[in-house]
Amino acid sequence: MYYPEPISKLIDSFTKLPGIGPKTAVRLAFFVLNMKENDVLDFAKALVNAKRELTHCSVCGHITDQDPCQICSDHTRDDSVICVVQDPKDVIAMEKMREFNGRYHVLHGAISPMDGIGPEDINVPDLIKRLKDDKVEELILATNPNVEGEATAMYISRLVKPSGIRITRIAHGLPMGGDLEYADEVTLSKALEGRREL
Ligand SMILES: [Zn+2]
């Protein structure tokens, strides 16, 4: 089917988003054409600003517009516990629960030998550096309950164990194969409460 170039470019851009197939991309592109120009400008600005102004916290790796991030700069939080997650979205899921008052460490991925992703490719070296600080007493491994998440938890556990830091893994009850970010707050809260020693 033939589209004038500006709209075919817009369709291509939408196709790059997750969960957007060609039909939806066409529908969204035509929707944008019918939007008010100001709304389109605001939308475009929001996209660019989100990308330009957000960076990764140099301490924990969470997305932030200030460095260190709000969580790392909050002096009321408990320095003795670090919760290790795969993705910034997991931090947001944990924060929504309002039960965890420790620190976070975002790995930005999980170990996956099948995809050639090793410990050096995710934010593990920075975690090890953080643990040299003797304030940390417990590391909660809250990686996703799937093969990669388990492998990552086991790897970190073996690496950190000799240091004597208590290592726990959030409980199952989270759907196996699922993502932490999709767990509802009650399930997540129970998983945290029922964490077990590794
Ligand atoms: Zn941070």
Side-chain angles (χ1 to χ4, degrees):
M1 206 187 290
Y2 173 75
Y3 295 110
E5 203 194 333
I7 192 155
S8 68
K9 271 194 173 163
L10 187 55
I11 293 167
D12 281 351
S13 297
F14 278 123
T15 314
K16 289 184 182 131
L17 299 175
I20 309 283
K23 274 188 190 166
T24 309
V26 169
R27 194 161 55 84
L28 290 173
F30 278 92
F31 182 84
V32 169
L33 290 185
N34 288 323
M35 281 166 74
K36 286 192 197 121
E37 187 165 338
N38 271 344
D39 289 344
V40 175
L41 278 174
D42 284 348
F43 186 38
K45 267 189 215 152
L47 285 174
V48 175
N49 287 349
K51 188 68 195 166
R52 275 196 194 144
E53 289 171 17
L54 290 179
T55 167
H56 291 159
C57 171
S58 58
V59 179
C60 71
H62 189 38
I63 42 161
T64 180
D65 58 354
Q66 60 175 70
D67 192 24
C69 73
Q70 263 185 345
I71 297 171
C72 289
S73 346
D74 182 347
H75 298 296
T76 68
R77 297 188 76 115
D78 183 357
D79 285 322
S80 71
V81 192
I82 295 181
C83 179
V84 179
V85 296
Q86 285 182 212
D87 196 274
K89 282 177 286 198
D90 302 332
V91 173
I92 291 158
M94 291 282 293
E95 284 297 286
K96 270 195 200 153
M97 190 176 76
R98 292 171 173 276
E99 268 179 44
F100 179 70
N101 194 41
R103 307 285 181 186
Y104 293 98
H105 193 83
V106 184
L107 296 172
H108 294 283
I111 296 170
S112 176
M114 295 273 284
D115 303 307
I117 302 170
E120 302 292 319
D121 302 310
I122 57 176
N123 204 8
V124 169
D126 280 355
L127 174 66
I128 303 307
K129 267 184 233 153
R130 276 180 90 182
L131 296 179
K132 300 241 157 77
D133 177 352
D134 56 12
K135 279 185 223 155
V136 184
E137 290 164 17
E138 183 182 357
L139 202 60
I140 302 173
L141 302 174
T143 48
N144 289 340
N146 55 25
V147 177
E148 292 81 14
E150 291 297 337
T152 307
M154 288 321 292
Y155 175 82
I156 294 174
S157 165
R158 274 191 215 122
L159 197 65
V160 177
K161 201 103 210 196
S163 71
I165 294 171
R166 183 180 177 217
I167 300 164
T168 55
R169 175 87 174 107
I170 51 165
H172 292 289
L174 287 176
M176 190 66 189
D179 275 3
L180 198 66
E181 60 172 293
Y182 298 125
D184 65 77
E185 284 149 44
V186 176
T187 311
L188 194 54
S189 162
K190 282 207 174 120
L192 185 66
E193 209 179 86
R195 65 186 186 273
R196 63 194 153 78
E197 302 277 341
L198 281 186

